[in-house]
Amino acid sequence: MTILISNGRVIDPATGTDAVQDVLIQEGAIARVGRELARRAEGAEVIEATGKIVAPGLIDIHVHLREPGYEYKETIESGTRAAAAGGFTTVCCMANTDPVNDTRAVTDYILAKARAVGVIRVYPIGAVTRGLAGKELAEHAELAEAGCVAFSDDGRPVMNAELLRRAMEYTLPFGLPVISHAEDANLTRGASMNEGVVSVELGLTGAPAAAEEAMVARDILLAELTGAHLHVAHISTAGAVRLVRDAKARGVRVTAEVTPHHLLLTEEAVRGYDTNAKMNPPLRTQADCEALIEALSDGTIDCVATDHAPHALSEKEGEYDRAAFGVVGLETALVLLHDRLVRTGRIDLSTLIARMSHAPARLLNLPGGTLAPGSPADVTIVDPEREVTIDPRSFLSRSRNTPFTGLRARGAAALTLVGGRIVWRAA
Amino acid sequence: MAWKRKDLLTTRELDAAEITLILDTATSLREISGREIKKVPTLRGKTVVNLFYEASTRTRTSFEIAGKWLSADVINFSASTSSAGKGETLLDTARNIEAMSPDVVVVRHPSSGAAELLARTLGCGVVNAGDGAHEHPTQALLDLLTIRQRKGHLDGLQVAIVGDVAHSRVARSNIYAMRKLGMTVTVAGPPTLIPPQVQELGVKVAHRLDDAIRDVDVIMMLRLQQERMSAGLIPTLREYARYWGLSLDRLDANARPDVLIMHPGPVNRGIELTPEVADGPYSVILEQTGNGVAVRMAVLFLLIGARTAQEAA
């Protein structure tokens, strides 16, 4: 099967490409990128991409697919379809399923299910501690052998520093990072939003920025002590960015990701007790947003990750303080970041693509992230002029919990290819 | 002016004219309590539902009496004896109550924002009788009515609010309302009980009781919940009472002779107030309770009146 993506603006940060070219795909891999490849592609299926952006398939290293155990929120099938519609070709799923992904059997199940019904690539992330209980190490060697690409208790911090130290040491031989949900749980007891004047006005318990920053600082010190690769999940404060920047300058093996909602929204979104503005870490301040955007642009923050966290309506309607934490993100990330950061000139297009493809691929050593010949033919075609209005009723995800309902944005995915197969095409 | 709102959820959203309208209406309704037959037909055929998810004596009774004096039918619904105990959600309970066509639902709930949630969901009027640590607007209104009766005016008065401001919906509602009426507010307490960045609400902060109460017209003492100690916010009740409890000695040494002592109740005697202060010459605590009925009559009257006017138009 041969496919020719014709005459698009090919942006491949890994090879420094940004030019109008053709992309030739053979046997599920990128065969060639160059001008006027049509004559080499006799009988090929031609995908006309004039005026569109042809990018490496997007990679999201932080999603909750909810299967096994919470299939009413999301399944591997629905989650990967949602991802494909958002332009993603690879996702990494967190371990807080039921049962928790802390044993090989669960990893095997996720991978088998993804092969059977998933439409994109799925890589599981194993638990740091058994049952995410923060008491004893999960079986990391076997999880790594089964195919886990990182370790994380995401959703919960590992409060015991000694245990996290041992996890960092024990996992060193596997070359897989430990991903930290950086939150000092004592400082966030009862919290449901950022601590500040808005939380005071709303009468809600706030989580101070220091709760995140104290933990980022601790984890950086432990990475320094052990030589492990620490990856900071969903970084959300200017202070945490400063800590990561300093650590990188000292040569510590630390990387970080940021979510679209932390880049684009502030604590003001909680007013009116909107449960779709409730997530952990919470939405912060405008100054934090500015620091995050700057850090994403300059590379202090390595990549974008959505922290796609589907919840059923019954878990999100009702009292704010009792609602579940988290928002969906797979179907809105690309178009919103393109519209709000690229079209406004805050970040350039090739940088955004790098932070959503090449950087996360390198970070977790995943295939893809580039259009270099020989790479898997994971490709996202973006229509920079395609305008959408965010409408949760149209989501392919099983859940609807987005804080972006009603926003208009330009630059949505038009077509998604995984291994040379079209897995999604805009209507 | 005429009342326009469907609901009374916060004092933050009210303007000075709306607050004054409620206080003036309460003042004119207040005389009902002195009548031999305490009943006027104003709200005959109207239904008020008290939906209480937290223990309350004063507020619930006060709304009940207010409704009954105005001839409304008042139904009390408390979470402990209802379907809420069987796992029914707040929204479902509220929708079911609405299906029985009440005119006003009065809600108290431990979650901040619960009243706003109901107001968004229900077509009938909603009165917030306290939601979490957010607001308790009728308490602030009855406090203002009490102060206005005693002082003759509100503009320019200085108020100290002392104690657990961080967790107090009474403090928030009072701060917003008092600022709008030209009053100066100082909040005081150990820093663990003062909300972060509270100055942004337009108040001053004092960290010594003697500083807070000097030269003010009104001292409002807040109730200290015992769980603040177990949460590690104060070392002991003993120490709190010693440094933040109001005694006659402290009042005589620091406060003005015409100062008013207020408390939203229920009082922890011997902790935030000594009995001598609670029952003493400066205290207007029982007047507050009496004014509670007048303010709630005014609120029910205005809300239902606005609905009736809209239906007629």
Side-chain angles (χ1 to χ4, degrees):
Chain A
M1 175 80 186
T2 302
I3 296 175
L4 183 73
I5 302 172
S6 166
N7 206 38
R9 178 182 168 194
V10 175
I11 299 182
D12 183 16
T15 58
T17 308
D18 183 351
V20 173
Q21 292 189 329
D22 297 339
V23 176
L24 185 66
I25 293 166
Q26 281 169 337
E27 310 294 329
I30 306 289
R32 223 180 147 93
V33 178
R35 302 291 308 244
E36 294 172 13
L37 299 181
R39 62 199 154 78
R40 299 171 182 272
E42 292 281 318
E45 178 182 346
V46 176
I47 297 169
E48 175 55 47
T50 304
K52 301 203 172 74
I53 297 153
V54 179
L58 305 184
I59 296 173
D60 186 348
I61 63 169
H62 190 148
V63 306
H64 298 271
L65 292 179
R66 303 298 191 203
E67 189 176 357
Y70 303 104
E71 291 84 355
Y72 67 95
K73 300 175 194 250
E74 193 79 285
T75 62
I76 289 169
E77 181 172 8
S78 66
T80 56
R81 285 183 187 282
F88 291 95
T89 57
T90 297
V91 295
C92 301
C93 56
M94 283 297 175
N96 59 343
T97 48
D98 182 17
V100 168
N101 185 18
D102 60 3
T103 56
R104 166 169 214 141
V106 178
T107 306
D108 287 347
Y109 174 85
I110 293 168
L111 287 171
K113 202 72 197 281
R115 270 193 303 276
V117 300
V119 302
I120 64 165
R121 298 179 204 275
V122 175
Y123 296 96
I125 292 168
V128 175
T129 69
R130 201 173 298 176
L132 309 179
K135 299 264 194 273
E136 51 203 343
L137 297 182
E139 293 177 338
H140 298 142
E142 200 167 75
L143 288 168
E145 190 177 271
C148 286
V149 295
F151 300 100
S152 182
D153 276 4
D154 180 64
R156 297 184 191 177
V158 178
M159 282 295 287
N160 181 333
E162 202 260 341
L163 191 63
L164 190 69
R165 173 202 179 164
R166 297 307 175 203
M168 284 178 167
E169 289 172 343
Y170 189 81
T171 56
L172 271 175
F174 318 132
L176 307 179
V178 170
I179 302 177
S180 166
H181 171 111
E183 172 187 358
D184 184 319
N186 291 321
L187 282 170
T188 60
R189 195 155 29 121
S192 58
M193 69 172 297
N194 185 48
E195 180 176 300
V197 70
V198 180
S199 70
V200 171
E201 284 182 17
L202 294 179
L204 294 170
T205 305
E212 176 171 331
E213 292 153 8
M215 219 52 164
V216 169
R218 184 200 76 171
D219 293 350
I220 285 170
L221 294 173
L222 292 176
E224 222 166 347
L225 174 68
T226 59
H229 172 190
L230 165 71
H231 178 69
V232 180
H234 43 52
I235 193 168
S236 76
T237 76
V241 165
R242 231 170 14 242
L243 290 163
V244 169
R245 190 174 279 134
D246 288 355
K248 283 188 165 185
R250 281 206 315 282
V252 183
R253 291 177 68 203
V254 55
T255 53
E257 69 188 33
V258 63
T259 72
H261 48 272
H262 289 114
L263 288 164
L264 300 178
L265 297 174
T266 70
E267 60 188 350
E268 293 290 330
V270 181
R271 284 192 196 281
Y273 300 93
D274 182 356
T275 57
N276 285 325
K278 179 178 176 181
M279 69 286 289
N280 190 14
L283 298 173
R284 306 285 189 182
T285 67
Q286 192 59 45
D288 293 305
C289 290
E290 300 298 327
L292 293 172
I293 292 168
E294 185 194 353
L296 183 65
S297 183
D298 72 20
T300 302
I301 295 175
D302 299 80
C303 64
V304 171
T306 64
D307 194 6
H308 178 79
H311 289 295
L313 180 60
S314 61
E315 297 162 314
K316 276 294 196 181
E317 66 177 2
E319 301 91 308
Y320 178 91
D321 57 355
R322 298 178 188 194
F325 289 96
V327 295
V328 292
L330 286 168
E331 292 171 80
T332 53
L334 169 67
V335 66
L336 287 172
L337 294 177
H338 179 271
D339 190 86
R340 299 298 198 267
L341 298 185
V342 175
R343 292 186 74 229
T344 56
R346 302 297 309 273
I347 193 165
D348 60 64
L349 179 59
S350 67
T351 302
L352 179 67
I353 288 171
R355 303 282 184 264
M356 296 182 80
S357 59
H358 183 55
R362 261 192 330 187
L363 207 149
L364 291 184
N365 205 16
L366 306 173
T370 173
L371 299 175
S375 308
D378 294 1
V379 184
T380 301
I381 300 178
V382 183
D383 182 348
E385 295 308 317
R386 183 176 163 238
E387 186 172 57
V388 296
T389 301
I390 307 296
D391 178 4
R393 289 169 305 182
S394 70
F395 285 173
L396 300 182
S397 168
R398 298 199 71 165
S399 292
R400 306 275 175 270
N401 49 309
T402 175
F404 295 114
T405 298
L407 292 192
R408 293 166 73 84
R410 201 172 282 196
L415 187 139
T416 309
L417 281 159
V418 176
R421 208 161 46 87
I422 295 173
V423 294
W424 187 78
R425 193 197 287 264
Chain B
M1 72 168 287
W3 184 261
K4 298 251 168 44
R5 296 178 188 273
K6 166 179 149 324
D7 313 296
L8 176 63
L9 303 178
T10 66
T11 59
R12 188 170 186 265
E13 68 192 350
L14 300 181
D15 60 32
E18 289 175 300
I19 294 170
T20 303
L21 173 65
I22 297 172
L23 298 184
D24 291 347
T25 308
T27 302
S28 68
L29 290 169
R30 199 170 184 272
E31 56 87 21
I32 294 173
S33 69
R35 294 188 188 181
E36 191 176 341
I37 299 188
K38 299 185 187 62
K39 206 151 194 95
V40 297
T42 317
L43 298 184
R44 199 172 55 197
K46 305 293 181 185
T47 305
V48 175
V49 175
N50 278 332
L51 184 56
F52 275 58
Y53 285 82
E54 276 184 347
S56 163
T57 309
R58 209 171 322 259
T59 306
R60 190 187 54 72
T61 311
S62 175
F63 271 106
E64 185 173 355
I65 292 174
K68 286 181 170 169
W69 285 0
L70 295 174
S71 299
D73 295 305
V74 182
I75 285 82
N76 287 314
F77 173 107
S78 74
S80 55
T81 57
S82 69
S83 305
K86 300 178 186 170
E88 188 169 62
T89 67
L90 170 64
L91 282 179
D92 276 340
T93 301
R95 287 183 188 120
N96 277 285
I97 287 174
E98 190 182 38
M100 300 179 220
S101 305
D103 296 278
V104 169
V105 170
V106 178
V107 62
R108 166 167 292 189
H109 197 281
S111 293
S112 296
E116 189 170 329
L117 177 67
L118 286 194
R120 264 203 313 269
T121 311
L122 304 182
C124 66
V126 174
V127 177
N128 182 6
D131 63 326
H134 180 219
E135 285 225 32
H136 189 359
T138 59
Q139 177 70 43
L141 291 163
L142 73 87
D143 291 338
L144 290 174
L145 183 62
T146 307
I147 298 168
R148 195 173 77 167
Q149 276 166 5
R150 281 296 189 124
K151 298 287 184 188
H153 67 106
L154 294 170
D155 187 42
L157 294 181
Q158 301 201 43
V159 182
I161 302 178
V162 179
D164 186 6
V165 177
H167 302 90
S168 175
R169 53 198 177 206
V170 174
R172 282 173 180 73
S173 286
N174 265 303
I175 288 168
Y176 298 130
M178 289 171 169
R179 297 284 302 129
K180 281 174 184 159
L181 294 174
M183 302 162 77
T184 306
V185 181
T186 300
V187 297
T192 47
L193 299 180
I194 299 298
Q197 301 173 43
V198 70
Q199 292 91 337
E200 309 240 344
L201 303 187
V203 301
K204 291 185 277 193
V205 179
H207 289 302
R208 283 162 41 95
L209 181 58
D210 291 347
D211 296 340
I213 65 178
R214 193 166 293 125
D215 296 330
V216 297
D217 301 287
V218 177
I219 303 170
M220 181 175 292
M221 302 300 291
L222 299 174
R223 177 177 169 78
L224 183 80
Q225 308 282 353
Q226 305 268 339
E227 62 253 35
R228 303 301 167 230
M229 200 178 72
S230 48
L233 297 176
I234 53 168
T236 59
L237 289 177
R238 191 191 75 86
E239 178 158 301
Y240 183 85
R242 170 141 181 224
Y243 289 89
W244 293 100
L246 196 56
S247 63
L248 273 183
D249 291 348
R250 280 195 124 137
L251 274 175
D252 291 339
N254 297 290
R256 290 166 54 141
D258 61 346
V259 71
L260 303 181
I261 305 299
M262 308 182 78
H263 192 294
V267 175
N268 290 306
R269 285 177 172 253
I271 297 178
E272 64 262 11
L273 290 179
T274 63
E276 293 76 21
V277 174
D279 305 332
Y282 308 105
S283 170
V284 293
I285 293 172
L286 294 178
E287 288 175 45
Q288 290 175 267
T289 307
N291 281 330
V293 177
V295 157
R296 282 146 188 154
M297 277 196 287
V299 168
L300 294 175
F301 171 77
L302 291 171
L303 253 58
I304 293 175
R307 284 170 62 77
T308 311
Q310 270 174 4
E311 279 156 19

